[in-house]
Amino acid sequence: MKKILLTVLLTALPALAWGGDELPTPLNNAAAINLVQEHANYLWTLVAATLVFFMQAGFAMVEAGFTRAKNSVNIMMKNLMDFSMGSIAFYTIGFGLMFGATNTGWFGTSDFFLSGWSPDGDPWVLAFWMFQCVFAATAATIVSGAMAERTKFTSYLIYSLFLCAFIYPIFGSWAWGSLLNGSGWLEKLGFIDFAGSTVVHSVGGWAALAGAIVLGPRIGKYGPKGEVRAIPGHNIPIAALGVFILWMGWFGFNPGSTTTADKSIAMIFVNTNMSAAAGAILAMITSWAMFKKPDVGMSLNGALAGLVGITAGCANVGPLSSIIIGAIAGVLVVISVVTIDRMHIDDPVGAVSVHGVCGAWGTLAAGLFNMGGTTIKIISTQLIGIGAAFIWAFGVAFILFKVIDLTVGLRVSEKEEMEGLDIGEHGANAYHDFVTTK
Amino acid sequence: MKKILLTVLLTALPALAWGGDELPTPLNNAAAINLVQEHANYLWTLVAATLVFFMQAGFAMVEAGFTRAKNSVNIMMKNLMDFSMGSIAFYTIGFGLMFGATNTGWFGTSDFFLSGWSPDGDPWVLAFWMFQCVFAATAATIVSGAMAERTKFTSYLIYSLFLCAFIYPIFGSWAWGSLLNGSGWLEKLGFIDFAGSTVVHSVGGWAALAGAIVLGPRIGKYGPKGEVRAIPGHNIPIAALGVFILWMGWFGFNPGSTTTADKSIAMIFVNTNMSAAAGAILAMITSWAMFKKPDVGMSLNGALAGLVGITAGCANVGPLSSIIIGAIAGVLVVISVVTIDRMHIDDPVGAVSVHGVCGAWGTLAAGLFNMGGTTIKIISTQLIGIGAAFIWAFGVAFILFKVIDLTVGLRVSEKEEMEGLDIGEHGANAYHDFVTTK
Amino acid sequence: MKKILLTVLLTALPALAWGGDELPTPLNNAAAINLVQEHANYLWTLVAATLVFFMQAGFAMVEAGFTRAKNSVNIMMKNLMDFSMGSIAFYTIGFGLMFGATNTGWFGTSDFFLSGWSPDGDPWVLAFWMFQCVFAATAATIVSGAMAERTKFTSYLIYSLFLCAFIYPIFGSWAWGSLLNGSGWLEKLGFIDFAGSTVVHSVGGWAALAGAIVLGPRIGKYGPKGEVRAIPGHNIPIAALGVFILWMGWFGFNPGSTTTADKSIAMIFVNTNMSAAAGAILAMITSWAMFKKPDVGMSLNGALAGLVGITAGCANVGPLSSIIIGAIAGVLVVISVVTIDRMHIDDPVGAVSVHGVCGAWGTLAAGLFNMGGTTIKIISTQLIGIGAAFIWAFGVAFILFKVIDLTVGLRVSEKEEMEGLDIGEHGANAYHDFVTTK
C-alpha cells in the first residue's frame, strides 16, 4: 500500500504523462488530461459495478422476505451461488460470447477466460468485464424468485450456469454488440436499450416464466376449485430492505451504463429516481383500489417496476416522461401479477411481472418517449427487440428446464416441499431459535 | 451502452475540449481541465446522493426495529412512500420554493417541475436537484419515527407531501438560498449550517415533536399514575443495521454537501466519523450510569446524535472539536429522551431528541467551535437560526397536524392500535410464519 | 453548502491553479492537471473508506446470524463499540504508532491525535487516516466473532481498545511503514501484503484464536465424551446479508488500498470478485462432500475465505490465479473449521479459520502466484511475515486476555451465559415480540 502513497505525497508536481526531463507542453498536457479523465471513467464504472453487485443482496432479501421462513436458507444459497457460479461462467464463456472481438454475427468467438487482457495490456477490459459480470448475474438471479420454494438446488445450479454462460450473453451480443469489432443485429437496427430493460430484465423475466410453467405451482397455491390462495411472505422488513438496496443499486445500474464519468449521468440518476417513485405510488394506488387497502407487496414491487421500466430509456427520455413511464409500470405490475396468478402460473415474488412485463413496457417506452421524437421505425424496432427477447429467452429456457426436468429432475419431492427446502436440501433451519408456525 | 464505450476505447488521444482539427493549446487545455474537474464534481455529488438515498433504508430499519412487530408493515409503507411522494413533491413544488431563480426573499417562485433544465442546457441542475431531493426526503422521514404505531396511513401521506413540498423547502430557502440569484435572510446574516443540523434535522425533529404532541401517546405507554412504561422494540439487529446504514449514508450527507470533489471532503469525513464515535460512547456511558447497564437503544441513538450534531459544523470545526461535539450530543440525547418521556410526549424512537435537540446543539456548536474563532455575533446568528427553525417547523407542523386531526383524523382507532396497524391499515402481517406475543 | 456551489456554477472557465490575471500556460496547466488527479485520489480513497466502514454492519450481521438469538443485543453493542472506541483509540494512539513521521524502527513515535495535520496544512493525512481507521476497526471486530456468546462486555471493551491502539498498529508499522519517513522491517525485506491478508486479517484471526482459547468453549458445545455439538445460528438471512455487505465492502478494502484513482484498480476488482466466487463454490462443494448436503454456513464463510485469501496478492496476481487462490481458500476454510472444532477450540463463527488461516494462505499465495515470477526469497519473506504475525498477535493477545481474565474477568457467569448476554449485560431482549425457544 505504501509505495503508491509515497508517490502521491512526495511529488509536488508529479509527471502524469510527461517524463522527468520533459517540460510540460500543450501536447503532453493534453495527454495527461485524457489520462485523468480515463481514471475518472475507471472509478465511476467500478463504483457503479459495486452498487450493481450489491443488488444481489437486494434480490436475496426481497425473495426471502416474500416467501416462507422454511425456504430461506435455500434462497440465500441460490443467490450466493448464482452470483458465484455466474462470475465463473461469465469469465470462462459468457463474456466471450457477448463481447468477443471476433464474432459470427450472432455471438462472439474469442475473449474467453479474459484472454483479451494481458498484464502489460490496457486494463480497461477488466473494468468493463467487472461491470458486465454483475449485469449477467442480475439476469440469473431474477429467475430464482419465480422458481422459489420448490426447485431442486442441483437443478438450479445447472440452470443458473447456463443462463450466465449462454442465454444472457448471446442475446446481449445482439443488442450491445462486441467489445472491439462490429455490433449485433439488433443494435444495427437502432434498438434502444441503454441499460437493459430487455437485455437484462426481460431476458431474466421470460426465463423465469418458462421456469414457473415447467415447475408448476407450489402445493396449496391453487384450491380444488381453481381458486387462488395467497401464500404470505414471512419477513416484510427484510423484503423492504431489499427493495431499498435494489433502488440504490439501480443508481449504479443505469447511470453506470455510461461507463464514462461525464455530465450525462445526472439526467439518468433523476430519471431512475422519478420512475421508481412514480411506480411505487401508482402500484400502491392501484392495489388500494383493487383490494381496498394499500398493499405492501404491490407497493414494493411497484418501485421495482418503475426501475425496470426506466432502464431502457433512462438516457434518452426526460424526467417528466420518466414519471409517466414509472407510473404506467406501477399500474401494469399489479394487473400483471393478478393476471398471471389467475392463469395459475405461480410466481411467488412477481418476478415475471416486474422484470418480464415491465421490461417489455420500458423498452417500448424508450421509443415512445424518445426526447428527439419518435417514428414508426423506432417503435417497430423496439417491438422487434421485445419479441426477439421473448422468443429467445422463453424458448431456450423452456427447453432447458424441460431437459433438466426429464433428466436430473427440476422439482423437489412433495414431502420435502411441505417440510421446507431448508431441511431437505441443506439440513438447516434459517431461524433456529424462533417458534414458527410451520 | 456500447457507443459511449467505443468512444472511450478508440480515441487514443480524445479531444475533450478541442476539435479534431484544433491542436491542443494552453487555453483549450485549461477548458478541458475544468471539464474533467466538473465531471468529478458530478460523480461525487451523485455518489453522495446515492449514499444519502440509502439512509431511507436506515431510517426504516431503525424505526421498525425500535417499535413493535405488529406495526412493521406500516413502517415500511411509510418509509417507502415518504421518499416516493417526497420525490414527486420536491420535483413539482419544493425545489422551486427552495432554489427558484426568482424569489420573494422568503421563498423561490420559479423552477417548479425542474423547468430550469432543458435537454440542451446545463445538466448541473439535475445533479444538484438529485442531491437536494434526497435531503428533503430525509427531513420527511424523521417525523415518521415519532409518530409511529398510531398514525393513520392516509394522514401520514398528506403530512409527508406537505413537508417535502412546503415546510422543508421554505425554511431551506432561508438558510441555503436560491440556486441562481440572491440568498435567504438567514444566509445573509452569516448563519452556519453546512449540511443541515438545523435545515434538515431540526426541521424534521420539531415537526416530529408537533406530531407526537397532537397525536398523544400510544395506549399503555403511561400508566394510570402517570408512570412511564417501556414499550420495547422488536428487532434490535435490524435497528443496529439501520444505524450502520445511516452512519454510512452520512459520509454522503456531510462531505457530499460540498457538491465538489475537492480536498475539503477529507476533514468532513473525519469529523463526521469522530463525532458519531464519541456520541455512541458517551451515550453508552450515560445510559450505564443512569440505568446500571449499557443500553443498546441509547448507544445506537448516541451514534445518530453525534452524526446530527456534527452536520452543521463539519466543514468549519476540527477533528478534536468534533469529538467534543459528538460527546456532548451523546450525553444530551439520553437526557433528552428521558425528559421528553417524563413530559408524557411519546416519541417511540427518540426522533425529537436525536434530530431536534441534537440538531439545535450542533448548530450552536458550529458557532462555538468555529476554527476561525467565534464571536457574540456568530453565536447570536446561530441562535436566531435555531429559534427560527423551531418557530417555523413546530408552528406550521402543529397547525397542519391539528387540521388533519379535525378533518380526516390523525389517529387510528383504539381497536386498530391494539391489533396493530399492519392488519388495520394494510391487511398484512410482517412476520407471517413466526409466533409472536403481540 | 451554497457558496461552493455558486463557485462551480458561475465560473465558466474557473482558474483551478492559476490566478485571475494569469493566462493559462503549459506549466500552470500541468499543476492544475495534477490537482484534478489529486481530487480523484481523495474521492476514491474516501469512497473506499465508506465501503470498508460498512463492513462493520456486515460483521455484525454475520456474527449475530451465526449465533443464538439471546446474544444478539450484545453482538450489536460489541460491533458498535469496537468501531467507536477503535476510532478514538486509533486517533489518539494507533495512527501515530503505525504511521508516525518519527519512529524507533519498531513503531512510530509522533503524529498522535492527528497532530501531523493543521487547518492550513495538506489535508491528505486526513483522507489517509480515515482509510486506515476503518482498517484498524476491521481487525478489532474480527475477534468479536470468535469470542461471541460468553465474553464480559467490559472486558471486550478493554481488549478492543488495546487492539486498535497497540496490537494492530505496531504490526502494521512493520509491514506498511510510516507515513512520512522510512519503513518497517518487514517492508524492507520485500514482504508483499497489499491490502492486509496478514496485517489486518491474520492479526485479527490470531488474536481471536487467543481469545477463544483463554475463554474456553461455550457451555454445551462439547459433550461429556468430547463429542462436538452444533450450536446453530438463529438468523441465516441476516448472516447472508452480512456476507453480501462484506463482499461489497471488500471492493473498497482491496482496490481502495491503492489510495489512488488509477487504472490498477480494475484488476484488483476482478481478482477480488473471482477469488470470492471460487471460495464460495469450493467451500460448498467441500461441505457437500463431507456432510452430504451443501452447507449454508460453510458456503458463506467460503466467500469470506476467498476474499481474505486474495487480499494480500490482489495487486500482483492475475485473475486466473485469483480463482485458484480463492478455490484453495474455500477448501481450507471448511477443513480448518472442522479441525479447530475437533481441537475443542470454540469459535462460533469460524473467525480463526476465515481470517487467521486463510489470511496466512493468502499471504503465501501472494508470493507463489506473483505475476512477475516467484523465488525462494519471496516465499521465505512471506513466511517470515506470516510467522511474525502469528507470534506477535497470538502472543500479545494471549497475555492480554490472561491478564484481563485474572483481573476484571473475561467470561460471564454460567447463569448469565445460559440466560443469554442480552439480559445479563444489557437488560434487553433482541426480539421482544417473538416467541423463542430459549
Side-chain angles (χ1 to χ4, degrees), chain C residues 117-184:
Chain C
W117 172 80
S118 76
D120 310 318
D122 186 341
W124 174 251
V125 67
L126 296 173
F128 185 69
W129 181 89
M130 189 72 232
F131 191 74
Q132 293 303 330
C133 172
V134 292
F135 267 58
T138 302
T141 211
I142 288 166
V143 186
S144 173
M147 299 176 67
E149 306 204 282
R150 58 209 193 279
T151 307
K152 263 192 189 172
F153 184 62
T154 321
S155 307
Y156 181 79
L157 295 181
I158 295 168
Y159 145 75
S160 182
L161 258 179
F162 199 84
L163 194 135
C164 279
F166 299 103
I167 299 178
Y168 169 78
I170 289 176
F171 187 84
S173 80
W174 301 350
W176 288 344
S178 58
L179 182 62
L180 296 175
N181 76 343
S183 65

Side-chain angles (χ1 to χ4, degrees), chain A residues 186-258:
Chain A
L186 269 170
E187 225 170 344
K188 283 179 185 156
L189 290 178
F191 182 57
I192 305 167
D193 187 8
F194 188 73
S197 282
T198 285
V199 175
V200 181
H201 294 282
S202 280
V203 163
W206 302 140
L209 177 63
I213 291 173
V214 175
L215 264 176
R218 289 167 292 174
I219 298 168
K221 174 67 190 169
Y222 303 107
K225 294 170 190 163
E227 71 274 23
V228 175
R229 290 171 180 162
I231 299 182
H234 85 282
N235 198 330
I236 302 305
I238 66 169
L241 174 64
V243 169
F244 282 117
I245 291 174
L246 287 167
W247 193 324
M248 178 171 73
W250 241 285
F251 288 136
F253 203 94
N254 285 358
S257 290
T258 56

Side-chain angles (χ1 to χ4, degrees), chain A residues 16-18 27-37, chain B residues 13, chain C residues 33:
Chain A
L16 271 164
W18 52 92
L27 198 68
N28 59 25
N29 273 349
I33 295 165
N34 286 304
L35 186 62
V36 178
Q37 174 66 43
Chain B
L13 192 77
Chain C
I33 295 164

Side-chain angles (χ1 to χ4, degrees), chain C residues 56-79:
Chain C
Q56 296 291 325
F59 281 113
M61 295 299 111
V62 167
E63 190 182 332
F66 281 164
T67 55
R68 287 168 290 184
K70 64 183 178 184
N71 298 311
S72 298
V73 167
N74 180 250
I75 286 168
M76 295 304 121
M77 283 298 281
K78 288 197 300 180
N79 277 274

Side-chain angles (χ1 to χ4, degrees), chain C residues 49-121:
Chain C
T50 302
L51 292 170
V52 179
F53 164 78
F54 199 43
M55 291 172 69
Q56 296 291 325
F59 281 113
M61 295 299 111
V62 167
E63 190 182 332
F66 281 164
T67 55
R68 287 168 290 184
K70 64 183 178 184
N71 298 311
S72 298
V73 167
N74 180 250
I75 286 168
M76 295 304 121
M77 283 298 281
K78 288 197 300 180
N79 277 274
L80 179 71
M81 281 304 141
D82 61 35
F83 187 77
S84 296
M85 302 192 74
S87 288
I88 304 290
F90 198 70
Y91 169 81
T92 49
I93 302 171
F95 185 75
L97 290 179
M98 190 157 169
F99 293 106
T102 62
N103 71 69
T104 65
W106 293 94
F107 51 84
T109 55
S110 66
D111 293 285
F112 302 108
F113 292 88
L114 267 172
S115 59
W117 172 80
S118 76
D120 310 318

Side-chain angles (χ1 to χ4, degrees), chain B residues 157-211:
Chain B
L157 295 181
I158 296 169
Y159 144 74
S160 183
L161 258 179
F162 198 85
L163 193 136
C164 279
F166 298 103
I167 299 179
Y168 169 78
I170 290 177
F171 186 84
S173 80
W174 302 349
W176 288 345
S178 60
L179 183 62
L180 295 176
N181 76 343
S183 65
W185 65 269
L186 269 171
E187 226 170 342
K188 284 179 186 158
L189 290 178
F191 182 58
I192 306 165
D193 186 9
F194 188 72
S197 282
T198 285
V199 175
V200 181
H201 294 281
S202 280
V203 163
W206 303 139
L209 178 63

Side-chain angles (χ1 to χ4, degrees), chain A residues 1 4 117 126, chain C residues 135 176 192-197 250-258 263-276 306-323 325 362-363 365-367 369-371 382:
Chain A
M1 178 185 284
I4 293 158
W117 171 80
L126 296 174
Chain C
F135 267 58
W176 288 344
I192 305 166
D193 187 9
F194 187 73
S197 282
W250 241 285
F251 289 135
F253 203 94
N254 285 359
S257 290
T258 57
K263 297 183 179 185
S264 73
I265 61 175
M267 190 183 75
I268 305 175
F269 263 91
V270 173
N271 286 347
T272 301
N273 192 66
M274 298 322 281
S275 185
L307 289 162
V308 170
I310 198 58
T311 296
C314 57
N316 73 306
V317 308
L320 188 58
S321 301
S322 300
I323 294 175
I325 291 170
T363 307
F369 293 88
N370 183 38
M371 282 198 300
Q382 295 304 96

Side-chain angles (χ1 to χ4, degrees), chain B residues 26 34 37 69 124 178 236 293 437, chain C residues 2 9 14 29 39 424 430 433:
Chain B
N34 286 303
Q37 174 66 42
W124 175 251
S178 60
I236 301 304
K293 301 219 173 180
T437 54
Chain C
K2 170 111 169 307
L9 289 175
N29 273 349
H39 290 171
D433 296 356

